[in-house]
Amino acid sequence: MSDPIAITGTGVLSAAGEGATLLWQRLCDGDVCVEPVDEWSDVSPRRLVGRVGGCDPYEAIRERKLHKLVRRGDALAIAAVAQAIDAAKLLSHRDALAESLRAEFNARTGIFVGAPGGALADQHDFLPLIAEVGSDLPAFGQRLARRVPPTWLLRSLPNNALCHIGINWGLSGPGTTIVDDSVSGVLALIDAAEAVREDLAERALVSAHEAAIEPHALALRERHHGPFTAVARPFDESARGSPRGEGAAAAVLESLGSAYQRGATVEACYLGGACVSSSGDLLAAVDQSTVERVIQAALEDAGRDEDDLAVVIAHGDATTQGDEAEARAIAAICGDEVPVTASKWSIGHTGAAAGLVDVALAVKILRHGVVPGIATTSSIAAPCRAAAIQLGAWPIRYGTCALVLCHATGGVSAAAVIGSARR
Amino acid sequence: MADDSVAGQRVTTFRTPRRRVGVTGIGLVTPLGPDAGSTWASLLRGDIGVRPISRFDASGFPVRIAATVQDLLTLDASDDGAAALHIAHRFGLAATREALSSANLRPTPDTAERWGCVLGSGAFGLHHEQLCALPRQWAPNGRLDAGLVFADREALASYEMLRQTRAALGLWSIKRAVGALGPARTISTACASGAQAVGTAARMIRRGQADVVVAVGLDSMIDPLGLAGFCLLGALSTDNDAPQRASRPFDRSRNGFVLGEGAGAVVLEDLESAHARGARVFAEVAGEGTALSSYRVTDPHPEGRGPIEAMQAALVDAGMDPENIGYVNAHGTSTPMNDRSEANALRSVFGAKLDGTWISSTKGQTGHLICAAGAVEAAITALSLHHGRLPANINLRERDDDCALPLLRETRSEYVDAAMSTSFGFGGTNHALVLRRADVA
């Protein structure tokens, strides 16, 4: 059993709006937040996506001259970190320190980011040049500097958010960027928590992001999934996949000692996590035994068992095989009474951000004591009925922990156990 | 754990002995050779892997040289399982297979869940020809029209084209080749990726998350779009007429780095288990440290802020002092700013002890392998400790006064007890590894 790590702030930007509490509230209210894209009015049938609206994420970046170096997904990550830092009252604490202690504060703050690791749209910056020169490579090389921004490579770096989070707040502790699709955010969380446990950092910011709402990537996905024209119905008989969403999440992790010493409010605790692999084909859905293994490993790392669980937040991406594997595994390990919920039905599949979005949701579920249901699901598929799939909001009756599950293409699964601060 | 403060540095002491980690397998695919043996021999001979680009017509680019992997046809592409694999993934697969063979170790059904994989990799996008092949009518003005794309999506290549652009594809191919069912990660921190992969893999073993972890750094940006990105930044040497001299770390006349490609793979193993099975141990991963510069996206901090903290953290993690380090395989990219910043950082960390430490950058011979560099150089550092041969800093004619370091002008025969390998990435992620010779307690 490992030491709990305090979570003192969270941040979320998703189609549900700004903040983890708003996400939790809208899920409890049964709000479907994916909608057609206004700019694609000539696309028929209309595609649903989960877009972050109503805010300018670039406002979180202090130096305006840096805005041109930051793509939207990275900006979302920075904005989510700004929320989390604000919620944790981290800057007011730092600013009250003596100058020498401020420097130590910065050096003892790590940054761990989950990122998509590749975006098709980055390469579209070359299309104007290609439209001009076709496949003529010498001409491509000669006219390159006139037609492509000099900062193209910098803007496309997978670790760009990590870089700018550090610069924006002057933080210089250990840091990394993990790029494993849907598990990126939870892997970043696990590694951040281990860094705090091992005293490599006193606190760590964790962030995860993805903003891939663009026609090229979506059209390619549709070659595999079919058109994203309907809302997701996880664990439903009619499950046909999830529309894509953009989003970002963040959390502030601290040693409990650090949090108590500065009088921070501990929202919840990270108790443990795990990552396992499967041997399937690249596009194979996750299998039951892999989900069982990751649940067992995460509970073991957290020093908890299934009786401690108040809720399971499943990956729940509304794919028939994936849903079935998850439901069967949850039932096998956790039993048929722990409420199982998900978030993609409302905000879409936020890719690399998805797992950390669900961690932030777990924090709010544990704080408010109510588990949102899956409002779009009406008839649970027979193979999924062994698990307690939650269709409506439900008060927590027992248990003090939330288990968050996520799975990535290529056969990597991750899980995190979040504990109530009240315990 | 308990903390003590020694000379202003935080030192973590573990109440229970932590697991030690050994390097028991090495695989390399580099511009110097298609395997570890040929790369090592070539390195010691002083060969240079930089040559004119012949893989595509680079005649219109301001830079027309690179350190390319030769003998591409020898790469086994028969069992990769996915048509979308990038050439860098094939480098990684070849290095991984060699590392496993070198370690003489494979997972079994009973142990596979205790095997992990960590990749250091960039993101690989579409090839230039794939962009050119997009239906011209979709982007008549160079900008995609959503209505046209969705209406004509059947014209798109397969879904695999999307997977091709995601870093996770590489991890899938490597862990499939290894047969690992344990923890896995892909780290992408630009030029620090490969080194962080090795450091993260070592920590997985120490933490008890896995018993054996294969760490791989892989990269290739020697294609029209990759080369374009670096040309736009102005980071590359333009010495097109003198490719053999183009990469010259710490030299007064250096003018940029040379793009390289390849892969490095190491099998890391719980040292006790490795000894128990009688494995050859190249070196021990004694410590690792990472820190952010938080300065500028491309420019390193002039005084070495970030690299200093990463090196100090690695030393603390290894429980060593600078005087314990006999050799540093420096990041040494051959750009004016990096080498100056790194020299300042080394002087700051090592102080007067610098005179007892040999330093070289091997990028003069290999070029800069970007996301693969840290893993390749970790492997070279392990081989240096194992064989008692320290590679030279090639192409050093006149050392820059701002880089006053004890640089190796020739390969040196000396068994040192411990060595450091440094890696600093665009975006300000800095990493240092400390390796200990296997027969040093």
Side-chain angles (χ1 to χ4, degrees):
Chain A
M1 179 175 163
S2 307
D3 295 335
I5 302 296
I7 299 174
T8 55
T10 60
V12 170
L13 287 98
S14 72
E18 290 184 75
T21 301
L22 181 58
L23 170 66
W24 167 80
Q25 184 65 59
R26 294 198 69 177
L27 291 172
C28 286
D29 292 345
D31 290 348
V32 174
C33 302
V34 293
E35 54 189 15
V37 182
D38 288 341
E39 308 93 276
W40 300 350
S41 57
D42 56 340
V43 174
S44 178
R46 303 198 73 180
R47 267 55 171 193
L48 297 178
V49 299
R51 278 201 137 164
V52 176
C55 68
D56 176 8
Y58 287 88
E59 285 180 359
I61 303 170
R62 273 189 301 116
E63 291 191 51
R64 288 195 64 81
K65 67 180 182 186
L66 295 180
H67 289 195
K68 64 178 185 294
L69 295 178
V70 178
R71 292 189 190 271
R72 180 170 172 81
D74 299 324
L76 290 173
I78 296 165
V81 167
Q83 277 183 29
I85 284 178
D86 193 43
K89 298 183 171 59
L90 215 51
L91 292 186
S92 56
H93 168 69
R94 180 180 69 175
D95 294 345
L97 295 171
E99 194 173 335
S100 61
L101 293 177
R102 279 204 295 274
E104 185 184 343
F105 178 99
N106 292 340
R108 297 272 294 147
T109 304
I111 306 171
F112 294 76
V113 177
L120 205 54
D122 295 356
Q123 293 182 300
H124 294 163
D125 291 344
F126 287 105
L127 290 178
L129 175 58
I130 287 174
E132 190 176 300
V133 303
S135 57
D136 182 345
L137 262 179
F140 179 92
Q142 285 157 6
R143 297 187 206 176
L144 182 64
R146 276 179 275 158
R147 298 292 284 170
V148 183
T151 55
W152 175 81
L153 185 67
L154 301 182
R155 282 164 49 82
S156 307
L157 288 174
N159 58 323
N160 206 26
L162 169 67
C163 164
H164 285 280
I165 291 167
I167 291 172
N168 209 44
W169 286 284
L171 305 172
S172 57
T176 196
T177 298
I178 295 173
V179 290
D180 288 305
D181 282 338
S182 312
V183 297
S184 304
V186 169
L187 294 185
L189 175 78
I190 291 171
D191 285 358
E194 292 291 350
V196 174
R197 277 178 179 159
E198 293 177 1
D199 202 30
L200 304 176
E202 193 170 338
R203 68 199 69 76
L205 308 180
V206 190
S207 183
H209 63 92
E210 181 154 1
I213 307 299
E214 59 88 17
H216 195 184
L218 286 178
L220 281 169
R221 283 187 189 282
E222 290 192 353
R223 291 294 302 264
H224 185 64
H225 295 281
F228 295 115
T229 54
V231 298
R233 305 181 197 284
F235 307 106
D236 194 281
E237 286 175 339
S238 63
R240 296 286 184 276
S242 291
R244 301 301 290 187
E246 61 177 7
V252 176
L253 303 187
E254 302 183 57
S255 66
L256 278 171
S258 163
Y260 291 142
Q261 193 174 26
R262 71 179 185 89
T265 300
V266 177
E267 283 208 63
C269 289
Y270 169 88
L271 301 178
C275 170
V276 305
S277 304
S278 67
S279 57
D281 288 338
L282 177 62
L283 300 179
V286 68
D287 60 86
Q288 182 181 340
S289 71
T290 300
V291 185
E292 288 182 12
R293 282 199 294 127
V294 80
I295 294 173
Q296 285 170 324
L299 288 173
E300 186 179 335
D301 187 55
R304 298 292 190 275
D305 61 33
E306 62 277 10
D307 293 338
D308 294 310
L309 292 178
V311 60
V312 176
I313 304 179
H315 187 63
D317 63 353
T319 57
T320 310
Q321 286 174 294
D323 285 359
E324 183 180 329
E326 275 203 301
R328 287 185 190 276
I330 291 165
I333 304 295
C334 309
D336 58 1
E337 293 186 13
V338 181
V340 178
T341 190
S343 64
K344 294 180 180 68
W345 60 271
S346 172
I347 60 172
H349 192 326
T350 54
L356 199 62
V357 167
D358 286 346
V359 167
L361 174 62
V363 169
K364 297 305 175 187
I365 288 173
L366 293 171
R367 273 188 82 73
H368 297 288
V370 176
V371 179
I374 302 174
T376 55
T377 292
S378 55
S379 180
I380 298 172
C384 302
R385 287 178 195 153
I389 310 295
Q390 203 70 33
L391 302 187
W394 195 257
I396 290 176
R397 289 181 181 167
Y398 51 83
T400 56
C401 303
L403 173 71
V404 175
L405 295 173
C406 49
H407 319 289
T409 305
V412 183
S413 291
V417 180
I418 308 300
S420 167
R422 294 187 188 134
R423 191 166 189 269
Chain B
M1 286 184 289
D3 286 346
D4 302 304
S5 185
V6 177
Q9 286 184 33
R10 188 177 299 268
V11 178
T12 301
T13 52
F14 290 80
R15 292 200 182 100
T16 53
R18 71 181 187 190
R19 295 175 102 190
R20 293 171 65 184
V21 179
V23 180
T24 58
I26 290 176
L28 291 171
V29 175
T30 75
L32 298 177
D35 54 42
S38 59
T39 293
W40 180 244
S42 187
L43 197 65
L44 296 183
R45 272 200 308 270
D47 297 348
I48 293 171
V50 184
R51 25 185 97 81
I53 293 171
S54 59
R55 198 173 295 164
F56 60 93
D57 184 353
S59 61
F61 288 76
V63 174
R64 299 181 288 279
I65 55 171
T68 49
V69 170
Q70 304 296 290
D71 305 323
L72 294 181
L73 292 177
T74 63
L75 294 174
D76 179 11
S78 60
D79 187 33
D80 54 37
L85 287 187
H86 191 274
I87 188 172
H89 298 141
R90 297 189 195 284
F91 296 153
L93 284 168
T96 299
R97 288 176 180 131
E98 186 191 9
L100 289 170
S101 173
S102 155
N104 194 23
L105 192 64
R106 284 278 185 176
T108 66
D110 290 337
T111 63
E113 292 179 10
R114 299 291 301 163
W115 277 63
C117 282
V118 184
L119 226 64
S121 170
F124 303 110
L126 300 183
H127 303 303
H128 173 260
E129 58 267 32
Q130 287 175 306
L131 276 183
C132 291
L134 288 179
R136 197 59 55 87
Q137 66 273 18
W138 285 3
N141 303 310
R143 187 168 174 186
L144 285 181
D145 181 305
L148 295 173
V149 172
F150 282 110
D152 194 24
R153 65 191 163 90
E154 295 303 315
L156 285 168
S158 71
Y159 177 63
E160 286 216 336
M161 182 187 268
L162 183 64
R163 307 315 315 169
Q164 178 190 329
T165 68
R166 307 288 286 202
L169 174 64
L171 181 63
W172 170 80
S173 67
I174 297 292
K175 68 184 179 59
R176 184 172 178 270
V178 172
L181 297 177
R185 302 271 189 290
T186 306
I187 288 168
S188 195
T189 46
C191 316
S193 306
Q196 280 206 325
V198 177
T200 301
R203 286 196 184 275
M204 276 183 178
I205 294 173
R206 281 196 207 160
R207 289 167 181 158
Q209 295 166 339
D211 297 328
V212 185
V213 182
V214 181
V216 186
L218 54 86
D219 210 346
S220 174
M221 297 184 76
I222 305 176
D223 55 62
L225 302 183
L227 183 64
F230 286 109
C231 284
L232 287 164
L233 275 181
L236 300 176
S237 170
T238 51
D239 291 351
N240 296 307
D241 299 329
Q244 296 276 301
R245 270 281 294 161
S247 179
R248 42 188 187 277
F250 303 112
D251 189 87
R252 184 193 292 273
S253 67
R254 69 192 184 279
N255 62 358
F257 73 82
V258 171
L259 200 52
E261 63 180 1
V266 290
V267 175
L268 302 187
E269 191 175 350
D270 170 51
L271 197 55
E272 202 173 310
S273 304
H275 286 318
R277 73 177 181 91
R280 171 181 54 183
V281 180
F282 291 98
E284 177 186 352
V285 181
E288 66 111 23
T290 185
L292 302 168
S293 295
S294 301
Y295 180 60
R296 290 178 186 161
V297 184
T298 47
D299 301 351
H301 190 276
E303 292 165 14
R305 201 175 72 195
I308 292 173
E309 287 75 10
M311 289 186 230
Q312 288 173 336
L315 287 168
V316 168
D317 190 41
M320 291 188 197
D321 294 316
E323 65 196 40
N324 300 124
I325 303 296
Y327 168 65
V328 177
N329 186 297
H331 188 55
T333 58
S334 180
T335 65
M337 283 192 293
N338 172 83
D339 293 1
R340 196 179 306 128
S341 169
E342 183 168 15
N344 285 335
L346 284 164
R347 277 199 296 270
S348 172
V349 172
F350 283 78
K353 305 292 191 313
L354 201 57
D355 289 338
T357 307
W358 294 109
I359 297 172
S360 68
S361 163
T362 41
K363 288 187 176 72
Q365 293 173 264
T366 63
H368 189 347
L369 276 65
I370 313 297
C371 292
V376 168
E377 289 160 16
I380 288 172
T381 306
L383 290 169
S384 302
L385 289 166
H386 183 66
H387 294 298
R389 304 292 303 277
L390 311 179
N393 193 100
I394 290 286
N395 281 332
L396 185 68
R397 285 189 184 163
E398 188 179 358
R399 190 184 68 184
D400 186 344
D401 290 341
D402 288 339
C403 303
L405 301 171
L407 296 163
L408 279 164
R409 289 178 181 271
E410 294 177 348
T411 298
R412 179 179 175 84
S413 295
E414 181 179 340
Y415 283 98
V416 298
D417 289 349
M420 178 182 279
S421 176
T422 57
S423 299
F424 315 130
F426 275 167
T429 308
N430 309 287
H431 193 269
L433 284 167
V434 171
L435 305 185
R436 183 167 21 222
R437 207 172 77 227
D439 55 358
V440 176

